[in-house]
Amino acid sequence: SQQGEEDPQALSIQEGENATMNCSYKTSINNLQWYRQNSGRGLVHLILIRSNEREKHSGRLRVTLDTSKKSSSLLITASRAADTASYFCALSGNTPLVFGKGTRLSVIA
Amino acid sequence: DAGVTQSPTHLIKTRGQHVTLRCSPISGHKSVSWYQQVLGQGPQFIFQYYEKEERGRGNFPDRFSARQFPNYSSELNVNALLLGDSALYLCASSLLWGPEETQYFGPGTRLLVL
C-alpha cells in the first residue's frame, strides 16, 4: 500500500528533550510532508521534503529523507508542552496525499 | 486572512439520513480536497476538485459525492448514512493542483451517526 507508517505509535517525553518520529513507506514518491494535529482538529502543515532532498530544517524541526530506505524522520528539538499533538507523514505521488496513522506525542512539563 | 472554514462544526444524524458538509477555501485557492478521519486513524482521501472539476476520487462508495462551485467553495454529500460514517470530515484547500502543493486544512466537521 502507498500509506506511510509512523513509528512509534505513541511517544512520551519530558519538556526540553528531543522527539524523533519515523515514517516508512513502500512506493515511489514525489515528496513527503509532515503534518501536526491537535486534539482531533484540523491538520497543520509543518514541512515538505522533496524526493531529491536529504534534509530540511524549519525552526526546531529537522526532517530527513532516505529514498533508498524509503524512510523519513521528524526531529523536534527542545520540545515544549505545546508540541503535544499527533504527527502524521503524508506521501505525495501521482495521487493526492496519503496519510499514515500518526504518532501521538505527549510532552510533559 | 481567513483560513479554510467548514460548516457545521458538529452534526448528529441517524442511519439512513443524508448529510451535506460545506467548505470555503482560502481566498485565491482553486483546489479543494475532502478527507475522512476515523478516530485513531489518519485522514483518508475522499475527493479532490480543481477549477470545479473532479481531479481525484478515493476508495469510497457512491453514497459519497461532492462538487465545487464557481466561487471555489465545495460541498460533500453523503447519502444513506451508516454508523461507520461517523468521523471527522476535513476539507483542505491549495492554491493549485499537484503533488507539490501544500494543503491547508480546515477545523473539520465532526459527524456522529446514531
Side-chain angles (χ1 to χ4, degrees):
Chain A
S1 114
Q2 191 178 354
Q3 184 178 12
E5 293 187 13
E6 292 91 344
D7 171 67
Q9 291 185 351
L11 180 62
S12 183
I13 60 174
Q14 296 289 326
E15 202 168 31
E17 293 180 337
N18 296 341
T20 300
M21 289 158 269
N22 302 296
C23 172
S24 59
Y25 57 94
K26 296 181 179 179
T27 62
S28 61
I29 58 172
N30 288 330
N31 61 62
L32 187 146
Q33 304 182 36
W34 286 91
Y35 285 80
R36 183 187 74 222
Q37 184 177 39
N38 291 82
S39 301
R41 299 179 189 172
L43 282 80
V44 175
H45 181 261
L46 296 177
I47 200 164
L48 179 154
I49 186 165
R50 294 181 175 83
S51 59
N52 61 353
E53 297 176 314
R54 292 296 169 259
E55 187 171 313
K56 209 163 182 180
H57 296 256
S58 177
R60 293 184 295 112
L61 305 180
R62 172 180 163 241
V63 169
T64 62
L65 179 64
D66 187 335
T67 53
S68 66
K69 295 182 179 178
K70 289 185 165 55
S71 67
S72 174
S73 68
L74 170 66
L75 169 67
I76 303 174
T77 60
S79 63
R80 306 165 181 169
D83 295 328
T84 294
S86 291
Y87 292 82
F88 295 90
C89 67
L91 310 179
S92 181
N94 293 322
T95 58
L97 291 178
V98 180
F99 287 86
K101 295 183 179 181
T103 292
R104 293 187 308 278
L105 173 65
S106 297
V107 181
I108 303 168
Chain B
D1 287 342
V4 177
T5 59
Q6 293 186 242
S7 64
T9 56
H10 296 81
L11 202 52
I12 300 175
K13 292 284 189 178
T14 56
R15 283 178 297 175
Q17 285 189 313
H18 162 270
V19 68
T20 297
L21 310 181
R22 295 178 175 83
C23 171
S24 292
I26 292 172
S27 178
H29 284 196
K30 299 182 178 180
S31 180
V32 169
S33 300
W34 287 94
Y35 294 82
Q36 180 197 64
Q37 186 177 22
V38 175
L39 193 63
Q41 302 292 317
Q44 297 294 310
F45 169 72
I46 310 176
F47 286 109
Q48 184 175 36
Y49 279 79
Y50 176 66
E51 289 283 15
K52 301 175 287 292
E53 291 188 4
E54 183 183 301
R55 291 303 183 109
R57 172 187 285 255
N59 188 23
F60 280 81
D62 292 343
R63 300 184 295 108
F64 288 76
S65 63
R67 54 180 175 169
Q68 186 177 32
F69 299 99
N71 66 354
Y72 301 109
S73 67
S74 179
E75 282 183 355
L76 175 69
N77 295 282
V78 187
N79 293 323
L81 285 167
L82 303 175
L83 296 180
D85 295 331
S86 295
L88 179 68
Y89 288 85
L90 295 162
C91 172
S93 76
S94 58
L95 188 62
L96 299 173
W97 174 74
E100 293 286 312
E101 291 296 310
T102 296
Q103 296 200 23
Y104 297 86
F105 282 80
T109 293
R110 191 165 295 280
L111 172 65
L112 177 61
V113 182
L114 301 176

